[in-house]
Amino acid sequence: ISCLLFNGIISAQTKKDDIKELFTLLDPGQMIDKIFENMIDVFKHHGNTQIRQVDQEEFVAYLTDEVKSMTNNLINEHMLNIYDKYFTHDEIKEMIAFYQTPTGKKMISTMPDIQKDIMTIMMNRHIPEFQEKIQKKMEELNRPEEFE
């Protein structure tokens, strides 16, 4: 029994080491930072009427610091356990192999730009349409009831 437990501990350590290696390839901190920079670009482009123009730079600096802190916490405390929960050791090894290929490296480097494009489309087209639909539905639901 102790041999089985010891082997299980060794396997768990090896799997977690492989997850850490995967994170080295993915560099989730840099990816999250780039995604956040893209979000700030969208934020600046659309403006925020709740924040005065002169205060937006201070607000962006504050957000940047907070996101970096949150990112470190997320990566170091949570992501490792989440990957361990949802992926087998073999799947982690397959991801490592994939992200070492030219296609995998391209996916890592382009994913933030893809997400920026998706976010821009959402902000420019889908969110306004969605807001309109919600507003219409709220108006419809708030109409005075007609009595017969």
Side-chain angles (χ1 to χ4, degrees), residues 1-147:
I1 291 174
S2 62
C3 286
L4 289 173
L5 288 174
F6 183 73
N7 284 340
I9 291 169
I10 297 293
S11 292
Q13 290 173 341
T14 303
K15 181 180 178 186
K16 289 201 178 203
D17 288 340
D18 283 345
I19 293 170
K20 289 176 185 178
E21 181 181 344
L22 176 64
F23 289 172
T24 300
L25 294 169
L26 293 175
D27 196 1
Q30 182 182 20
M31 188 180 297
I32 292 170
D33 287 347
K34 190 167 182 184
I35 290 167
F36 183 69
E37 287 172 19
N38 291 338
M39 287 172 53
I40 289 174
D41 288 344
V42 171
F43 170 82
K44 287 179 180 177
H45 176 71
H46 288 282
N48 188 332
T49 56
Q50 296 174 343
I51 300 173
R52 295 180 312 180
Q53 185 70 29
V54 294
D55 294 332
Q56 283 191 11
E57 189 172 311
E58 180 182 339
F59 182 69
V60 167
Y62 170 78
L63 283 178
T64 301
D65 289 342
E66 288 299 313
V67 166
K68 285 184 184 202
S69 173
M70 179 183 65
T71 299
N72 284 333
N73 188 15
L74 179 66
I75 292 167
N76 296 321
E77 291 186 29
H78 303 288
M79 281 181 64
L80 187 117
N81 293 326
I82 291 169
Y83 273 66
D84 187 32
K85 176 181 175 181
Y86 287 103
F87 297 104
T88 67
H89 195 175
D90 285 340
E91 290 168 333
I92 295 295
K93 289 177 183 179
E94 289 171 7
M95 284 188 269
I96 289 169
F98 170 71
Y99 286 118
Q100 289 174 333
T101 67
T103 302
K105 289 176 183 178
K106 181 176 181 179
M107 184 169 179
I108 292 168
S109 67
T110 58
M111 189 53 65
D113 295 323
I114 291 169
Q115 291 174 335
K116 178 184 179 183
D117 290 349
I118 291 168
M119 186 182 306
T120 300
I121 290 168
M122 284 182 60
M123 294 297 288
N124 290 334
R125 180 167 177 197
H126 296 287
I127 296 297
E129 288 176 6
F130 180 71
Q131 288 172 330
E132 273 184 47
K133 288 179 181 179
I134 296 298
Q135 183 64 33
K136 285 179 183 177
K137 187 64 173 178
M138 288 174 63
E139 290 169 3
E140 177 185 307
L141 292 173
N142 286 327
R143 274 188 264 160
E145 292 184 29
E146 295 179 21
F147 295 99

